[in-house]
Amino acid sequence: MSKKRSRETETDELRQGRLASLVRKPATWVVGVILVALGATFSSGLQSLFAGLLPDGWSEPGSGIKVVDVRRKPLSGPVLIPQAESVKFSDQTDAREKVNDPEWEAQHEWYAAGRITWEVTLVGRHSDPVVITDIRPSRTGACTTMIRQGTLVDDVPQGEGKKIELTTAIDSEVPELTSVDDGSAYFDDGTVTLAKGETVVISIQATSAGPTCQWVLEADYVDHGKRETMTIKAPGDRPFRITGSSEGNPYELTWSVVCDQSMTPEDWAARKKDQDYCPR
């Protein structure tokens, strides 16, 4: 027993002696700190390296598709601006540029009058393909009566390009997206698949026979085997807006792209009788 205790005492003394020796050598502490720092830096570097190899947005649940752009298709129907005093256009080019500018749209209150075509551009973000199974219009509240006051910018329609072209009557009992080609519900039998970096432009023509409605788009998709839903809005993070279009242009003012100026109902009626007439 005494021999064993003697050995234990000697061992303790040796350990204490080594510890005291380390304390007396600051350089040893410095080396230890450097090694710890290098280890942390190396670990961080590996994390950055692996993160760089992973697809954009890999760590964000439900981030497999991203809205790249939402914009009103140029020349896709009249635009009604309820606050007539806020409208200041210098000429036809200025009027068309402003009502087709997403930044102007985001900062002003305006409604599509009767019809409008929105173009929504989506991009895939994950290496595994993302499958869009449904896109549907969803009203944000009850529709109200037609807006009849304000300034109307008569932006006439033009031809369409090669896109997924859909249409919807927002004022119907249950709005749905149907194919422009054959009137079928597009997502009943079809889907849209997006690989990483692949984009698709979905062209949606919305109409209203009279009521004023606000709405958004809801998109269902499958991302890494999970079902997700995202909401798509108009510029300025606002709902899409549409009201009916009155025959005869009974608005306070109607901006004529031919005369390059706002016209009263009387002036508009005079122009219908005489196509060369423009108020002075």
Side-chain angles (χ1 to χ4, degrees), residues 111-169:
Y111 292 78
R115 66 185 185 277
I116 188 172
T117 299
W118 285 100
E119 293 185 340
V120 178
T121 304
L122 304 174
V123 63
R125 300 181 69 197
H126 288 173
S127 54
D128 291 339
V130 178
V131 181
I132 303 172
T133 58
D134 189 24
I135 297 179
R136 60 190 173 277
S138 176
R139 288 194 294 260
T140 58
C143 295
T144 57
T145 58
M146 183 189 304
I147 299 175
R148 298 179 181 275
Q149 294 183 329
T151 297
L152 187 75
V153 179
D154 193 20
D155 207 23
V156 296
Q158 67 176 9
E160 298 283 347
K162 288 187 177 180
K163 304 176 181 68
I164 296 177
E165 298 177 354
L166 308 176
T167 184
T168 182

Side-chain angles (χ1 to χ4, degrees), residues 42-81:
F42 183 67
S43 175
S44 175
L46 283 178
Q47 291 177 1
S48 299
L49 174 62
F50 288 130
L53 296 176
L54 291 169
D56 183 28
W58 68 274
S59 62
E60 303 170 19
S63 63
I65 57 174
K66 181 180 180 180
V67 178
V68 177
D69 189 37
V70 178
R71 66 177 59 224
R72 172 184 179 272
K73 182 176 176 58
L75 308 176
S76 64
V79 171
L80 178 63
I81 306 162

Side-chain angles (χ1 to χ4, degrees), residues 8 92 100 105 156 176 179 186 188 216 237 245:
E8 290 176 352
Q92 172 184 338
N100 290 295
E105 294 170 2
V156 296
E176 65 174 350
S179 172
Y186 185 84
D188 277 0
V216 296
D237 197 32
S245 179

Side-chain angles (χ1 to χ4, degrees), residues 8 13 17-18 22 47 62 65-66 99 110 113 135 138 163 174-175 194 211 255 266:
E8 290 176 352
E13 288 176 354
R18 289 170 183 168
L22 287 173
Q47 291 177 1
I65 57 174
K66 181 180 180 180
V99 300
W110 64 278
I135 297 179
S138 176
K163 304 176 181 68
V174 181
L194 293 177
W255 180 266
E266 293 76 18

Side-chain angles (χ1 to χ4, degrees), residues 11-26 28-29:
T11 302
D12 290 341
E13 288 176 354
L14 285 171
R15 289 174 180 167
Q16 292 175 3
R18 289 170 183 168
L19 180 62
S21 176
L22 287 173
V23 171
R24 289 193 296 269
K25 295 180 180 179
T28 305
W29 287 89

